Amino acid sequence: FRPDASGNYAVDIESGVCVDHYDFHLDVKNAPQAYPSYDKAVCDGGSTVLNVAVINESGDMTYVWSNVNPKNPTKDSITTTPSMKVYPSGEKTVYSVRITSEATKCSSVYDMPVEVRPAPVIVIDKTLGELEPCINSNGEVYVEGASTYNWYDITDTANVRLLGYGASKKIYVADTTVKIKVVGYDAIGCQSVAIVDSLKPTPDPVF
């Protein structure tokens, strides 16, 4: 018997030819209903904040968070606030929270899995990446492994220059070796760095 609403109910209990009739009232209380919001995926070594917004009542709540302590995953954390900062590890960490209404003592549980993504691996096209262009000309470098790329000229570390964006870049080479840094980002912003330091000019032939 699982009543879905408060109201008056009756039950008949039969024993042989005898029947006992009972009337009673049940007050059905709703468990907290919440809307979880958090980053479903984070970068390796990153963090996220788990949030649960109770949507069907406004009274005081108690939140029991599970698996949120990396040093002792079996130890729960009890709070009166609907958020918890966590540091996922491995390939995926599943967190849970039990929300209890102080008014009704009813509870509900929500699971929140968080995927951990490694940094992208940027691969430099070695054929073009080791190109030695002529003095005062362009060498072109291609990269892959990430979603977006930022290119920087780091030849002079005191004057780092943004060269542009994209999976390839024409690099102007004057008469000295040019050193390039490529920062690649995946879809959620995880990043890694690759260095292209082999763009050096080929001297003009002497006749």
Side-chain angles (χ1 to χ4, degrees):
F1 174 60
R2 295 192 177 188
D4 56 8
S6 299
N8 296 317
Y9 295 88
V11 60
D12 291 329
I13 303 175
E14 297 183 4
S15 177
V17 295
C18 299
V19 178
D20 288 328
H21 180 85
Y22 294 94
D23 294 315
F24 58 94
H25 179 83
L26 282 180
D27 186 14
V28 177
K29 300 175 181 179
N30 293 323
Q33 297 178 15
Y35 175 77
S37 61
Y38 60 99
D39 295 324
K40 306 300 187 296
V42 299
C43 304
D44 188 16
S47 64
T48 184
V49 177
L50 309 175
N51 295 285
V52 281
V54 177
I55 59 177
N56 65 330
E57 56 181 294
S58 59
D60 293 336
M61 304 287 162
T62 298
Y63 304 85
V64 180
W65 305 86
S66 299
N67 203 27
V68 296
N69 186 342
K71 295 182 179 179
N72 188 0
T74 61
K75 184 178 180 180
D76 293 338
S77 179
I78 303 174
T79 70
T80 56
T81 56
S83 62
M84 174 66 65
K85 189 172 185 178
V86 294
Y87 299 86
S89 60
E91 295 183 354
K92 183 172 71 172
T93 302
V94 179
Y95 303 97
S96 66
V97 59
R98 176 180 293 275
I99 307 171
T100 301
S101 167
E102 290 300 302
T104 66
K105 303 305 179 184
C106 297
S107 299
S108 56
V109 177
Y110 293 87
D111 290 333
M112 289 170 278
V114 181
E115 178 187 351
V116 179
R117 294 187 183 175
V121 178
I122 300 177
V123 179
I124 301 171
D125 188 309
K126 291 298 183 182
T127 302
L128 294 174
E130 294 174 359
L131 188 65
E132 295 185 356
C134 297
I135 291 176
N136 298 320
S137 64
N138 291 315
E140 189 164 14
V141 182
Y142 289 81
V143 292
E144 61 182 5
S147 299
T148 60
Y149 307 89
N150 293 0
W151 297 74
Y152 300 89
D153 184 340
I154 59 171
T155 307
D156 180 1
T157 56
N159 184 30
V160 175
R161 296 185 300 115
L162 174 65
L163 298 177
Y165 313 93
S168 66
K169 182 60 58 180
K170 288 185 176 181
I171 310 298
Y172 177 74
V173 179
D175 57 358
T176 58
T177 300
V178 176
K179 191 170 185 179
I180 303 299
K181 179 174 75 173
V182 184
V183 182
Y185 302 87
D186 70 4
I188 67 168
C190 301
Q191 73 174 58
S192 60
V193 175
I195 302 296
V196 184
D197 58 1
S198 55
L199 283 174
K200 55 185 177 181
T202 299
D204 292 334
V206 177
F207 298 99

